[in-house]
Amino acid sequence: MTDEYDVAVVGAGPAGAAAALAARRAGARVLLLDRADFPRDKACGDGVAAHALDVLARLGVTGAVDGYAPLPRIRLVGPGGGAVARALPRPAYTVPREVFDARLVAAAVAAGAELRRHTVRRVEARDGRVVLDGDLAARAVVGADGAGSVVRRALGEPANPDRHLALAIRGYAPARPGPPEQLIVTSRPRWPAYAWSFPIGDGRANVGYGEVLRGEPLTRAHLLDRLAALLPGTDPAVVTALRAHHLPLSTHRPVSGRGRLVLAGDALSLINPFTGEGIFYALLSGALAGAAAAGDPAHAAGRYAAALRRRLGTHLRHSSVAAWLARRRWVVDGAVRAARRDDRVFGTVVELGLGDGRLDARTLAMIGIGLAARDRPPRD
């Protein structure tokens, strides 16, 4: 055995960087492992909501979105064609993950974490520690290694099944004309599915399309056809850096950990089923995992599970209910109508999709009223 640490973090994306930062703030000796060198690209919508910046501020990280213009508005188009466009309660940002993740890793290293390029293939809990690939050891390990997590497999947890797993394709295209805003266009065919366009502020936008998997394979050509149909004027031939990625939805989460092993971010299937947002979940769960692993390594899983329940439990239950309701296209159309009429409903929908919000009786009643209204004809 060549090295032993208090906490080893597998995966240096937002969840892993947050875990390393939280563990370092607790005084732990931290090893941060990733199979890639940074900066590196990561397929994602690149959206950074205000809630994510709140978590980073509590970890002492500033400047993660420096140089990128705030996006003050969001426009949501329902499956039936109705739309709502309003100011966000707090601006969002679009920061390419090649930049955002590298900034977080740099912050973790500046805080004292040791960064090492290494692909973890074997995880074993033995003799009061966790051993990685036979020669790296830690008192506790945070698995923040994404949808194909090795640490998750070591816990005996399978990947998400169909209907709890989405597939999306992402690229960069010229930004749409007009005032900058986040655009989400839901799809009547293939529902649940939607396309997005998030301007970066440099003349480009992150564009993409994703849908929930239902048992049949999806081709690249299909994903690009749907992207073009939902974002008129976006020519797939000029979209650059196209990459597909899986989104394990929070409606089917594995156990959050056992003993000295815990999972965070995508490895824990923490992807919002309503919007596909994952960076806020990744940062928050990573911070909670890192603190639990550093504070009591032998009981990290129990401490972490309790912290997750306190901080996200109610929200995750409500978002699962919202996702179940939203499987009916007409419910989404009713929600869009209600949000267009009532700014409190709009705020609830945004908080539920981008942060840690909850459903409430008033919002459900307003959506019910919206179900009786009519909108323009459906779009393809």
Side-chain angles (χ1 to χ4, degrees):
M1 202 75 59
T2 59
D3 293 294
E4 186 160 346
Y5 297 81
D6 295 319
V7 177
V9 182
V10 183
L21 283 159
R24 281 297 302 144
R25 288 171 74 85
R29 184 181 180 219
V30 177
L31 176 65
L32 181 58
L33 300 168
D34 200 280
R35 62 185 180 182
D37 286 325
F38 287 79
R40 57 95 177 97
D41 186 25
K42 177 74 165 63
C44 177
D46 294 344
V48 182
H51 301 78
L53 300 182
D54 293 340
V55 179
L56 289 176
R58 290 193 291 272
L59 291 171
V61 178
T62 59
V65 298
D66 282 359
Y68 291 85
L71 293 173
R73 289 170 57 85
I74 187 170
R75 180 179 300 272
L76 174 64
V77 181
V84 56
R86 286 181 177 269
L88 288 162
R90 292 186 291 166
Y93 296 81
T94 308
V95 184
R97 292 285 296 276
E98 185 174 10
V99 174
F100 187 75
D101 290 13
R103 288 177 173 180
L104 300 191
V105 167
V109 171
E114 179 184 334
L115 175 66
R116 189 181 303 183
R117 183 174 183 179
H118 179 86
T119 301
V120 174
R121 294 184 170 86
R122 192 168 78 255
V123 181
E124 304 168 279
R126 66 182 191 224
D127 301 326
R129 57 190 173 180
V130 181
V131 181
L132 305 176
D133 295 327
D135 65 351
L136 296 173
R139 298 175 66 201
V141 165
V142 177
D145 46 341
S149 172
V150 172
V151 180
R152 177 169 170 160
R153 291 200 298 273
L155 287 169
E157 296 287 340
N160 277 26
D162 286 341
R163 298 192 178 274
H164 301 279
L165 185 68
L167 179 66
I169 195 164
R170 172 237 68 182
Y172 296 95
R176 300 165 64 86
E181 62 182 10
Q182 288 188 327
L183 173 64
I184 296 176
V185 184
T186 60
S187 172
R188 184 179 179 89
R190 310 290 300 181
W191 180 255
Y194 72 88
W196 69 85
S197 177
F198 297 161
I200 298 170
D202 60 1
R204 297 178 300 153
N206 180 308
V207 299
Y209 168 81
E211 65 179 67
V212 173
L213 295 174
R214 287 175 294 229
E216 75 261 30
L218 299 179
T219 66
R220 177 187 176 96
H222 166 75
L223 297 174
L224 292 177
D225 285 347
R226 296 306 305 148
L227 172 67
L230 293 170
L231 297 178
T234 301
D235 180 0
V238 303
V239 179
T240 62
L242 282 164
R243 294 183 64 181
H245 58 292
H246 283 102
L247 300 166
L249 305 178
S250 66
T251 49
H252 187 91
R253 298 186 305 280
V255 63
S256 59
R258 292 191 185 91
R260 298 174 184 270
L261 290 170
V262 297
L263 301 173
D266 289 12
L268 188 54
S269 297
L270 283 179
I271 297 290
N272 192 300
F274 197 51
T275 60
E277 199 283 336
I279 290 179
F280 165 62
Y281 284 169
L283 291 170
L284 179 56
S285 63
L288 295 175
D296 188 357
H299 304 96
R303 289 169 62 94
Y304 176 50
L308 274 175
R309 281 195 300 271
R310 288 192 300 269
R311 185 61 183 81
L312 277 179
T314 301
H315 162 72
L316 290 172
R317 288 193 296 274
H318 283 227
S319 65
S320 291
V321 170
W324 179 78
L325 291 171
R327 290 194 175 185
R328 298 147 184 85
R329 294 189 302 264
W330 44 271
V331 173
V332 178
D333 287 328
V336 169
R337 295 183 195 111
R340 191 169 60 218
R341 292 183 172 91
D342 190 300
D343 60 354
R344 288 169 60 185
V345 173
F346 174 81
T348 297
V349 171
V350 169
E351 288 294 308
L352 193 64
L354 299 182
D356 54 0
R358 305 172 184 186
L359 286 171
D360 57 70
R362 183 179 182 280
T363 296
L364 290 171
M366 292 297 293
I367 291 173
I369 293 170
L371 293 179
R374 290 181 177 273
D375 255 319
R376 59 190 178 185
R379 63 190 294 132
D380 289 331

